[in-house]
Each structure stands twice: as structure tokens, then as C-alpha cells.
Amino acid sequence: MDATTLEEPQPAVQSGHGIKAVRACTINQPVEALYNFWRTLENLPLVMKNLVSVTPISSTRSHWVARGARGKTIEWDALIINEHPNELIAWKTAENSDVAHAGSVRFRPAPGGRGTEVVVTFEYDPMHFDLKIFSRLFGKKPADTLGADLYRFKALMETGEAPTNEGQSAGAGQKEEAA
């Protein structure tokens, strides 16, 4: 697959309006394995806590469903706007979405043959969200939510399972659900 760059006229997050979060980690797996997992968009709910599903519509467009407040779901379409196999996937929400965000994930070999450095950059416009929707999707500290999702990605790719506290009698997940 060759590098692909596709653009829509309007950015998902207007310049100067967004909040940016960046998280990175080194994962002890080859670039190709990590890129292929991420590019298979249906896999992302396995590592992103608030995602219910991602359904590809075409090679560059997908439909996303996330958990919202009070058992509701939030849905939007996203577009891959830049792609370089085994290096970069960049996306943004489709025009007229209820969710306004854009981001990228970069993959590069870690120094010394120690796996792959993965860097996720995410920018969102909190003014384009209902406060409850925003809080549910991104948490009180969106960079921390992004970091936790990236940690689950690392754990899943290195061990074959993502850590969870579901079903435990105590823990952060139980407190969040009660709130």
C-alpha cells in the first residue's frame, strides 16, 4: 500500500480552538504488527475504554460509537486524512459531526531494536461538545485517558490481554460507574 493523503476542505478542530493531548510509549513488538492492529479499526474498542464499536465504511471512512452519559451512545464518522503504512495514520471527524476531534498515531522503530515507539496525538474542541459527552469520552484529564488507552494497547500487544478492573468489587471502574 502506498502513502495516502486525503483532505476535506474544513478542519475538524479550528486553529486555536482545540486542546491537544500527546502520549507515547515503547511497545515490544514490531512496527508492522502495531500498525496493522491499529489500522484494523474494529480492533480499537479493545484498547479504548469508552469505544463501543468502529465500523469501516470505506478504506478511509469509518463509523464510531462510544459510551455516553446515562447509558446513551455518541456516534460520529471519522476520515483517515493521511496515511503512510507502518509509519502514520491521521484522522479527523467528518464535517457536521457532533464530535470534533482530529489526531494521529505514529509508529517508528525504537532505538536498539527494542520494539516500536508509538506516539498518539489527539486534538479536540471542547466547545463543540455537550459537557457530559465531553467528560464521558475524554475524562477530567483527557491526556490521562489517552495515556490509559495507550497503556492498554501496550499490554494487549505485549501480553495478549488488556488489563481491566471490570467485575472487581472495588476499584476505579466501580467508582466511575457509580458516579
Side-chain angles (χ1 to χ4, degrees):
M1 182 192 299
D2 293 330
T4 304
T5 302
L6 301 169
E7 300 276 345
E8 271 201 359
Q10 297 294 322
V13 180
Q14 297 296 324
S15 178
H17 291 259
I19 297 172
K20 190 175 188 178
V22 180
R23 287 292 183 258
C25 73
T26 300
I27 301 175
N28 192 18
Q29 289 292 322
V31 168
E32 297 80 10
L34 301 178
Y35 173 86
N36 288 333
F37 179 92
W38 198 288
R39 186 55 177 92
T40 305
L41 301 174
E42 306 95 288
N43 288 335
L44 296 179
L46 296 172
V47 296
M48 294 179 180
K49 178 182 172 185
N50 293 320
L51 276 183
V52 173
S53 66
V54 181
T55 306
I57 296 169
S58 71
S59 64
T60 58
R61 189 180 189 96
S62 52
H63 184 75
W64 296 59
V65 179
R67 288 177 191 83
R70 295 177 175 49
K72 294 182 181 179
T73 58
I74 302 121
E75 300 186 31
W76 67 92
D77 285 354
L79 306 166
I80 293 177
I81 57 171
N82 194 356
E83 181 173 14
H84 297 274
N86 299 322
E87 292 178 23
L88 168 74
I89 303 168
W91 67 89
K92 70 175 189 170
T93 50
E95 206 169 321
N96 299 319
S97 290
D98 290 334
V99 174
H101 70 86
S104 67
V105 58
R106 294 181 180 277
F107 307 89
R108 63 179 170 246
R114 296 179 182 232
T116 304
E117 292 179 352
V118 179
V119 179
V120 180
T121 302
F122 190 81
E123 188 169 16
Y124 54 91
D125 183 351
M127 300 307 288
H128 194 81
F129 288 95
D130 173 283
L131 188 56
K132 288 179 183 174
I133 292 172
F134 178 83
S135 177
R136 180 66 178 167
L137 281 177
F138 302 112
K140 291 182 181 174
K141 296 182 179 177
D144 292 347
T145 301
L146 178 58
D149 289 345
L150 190 54
Y151 173 76
R152 277 189 293 282
F153 179 50
K154 175 181 175 65
L156 180 64
M157 298 309 294
E158 290 182 349
T159 69
E161 59 186 7
T164 180
N165 60 8
E166 286 185 34
Q168 294 179 3
S169 60
Q174 295 295 326
K175 291 176 187 173
E176 289 174 0
E177 295 294 60

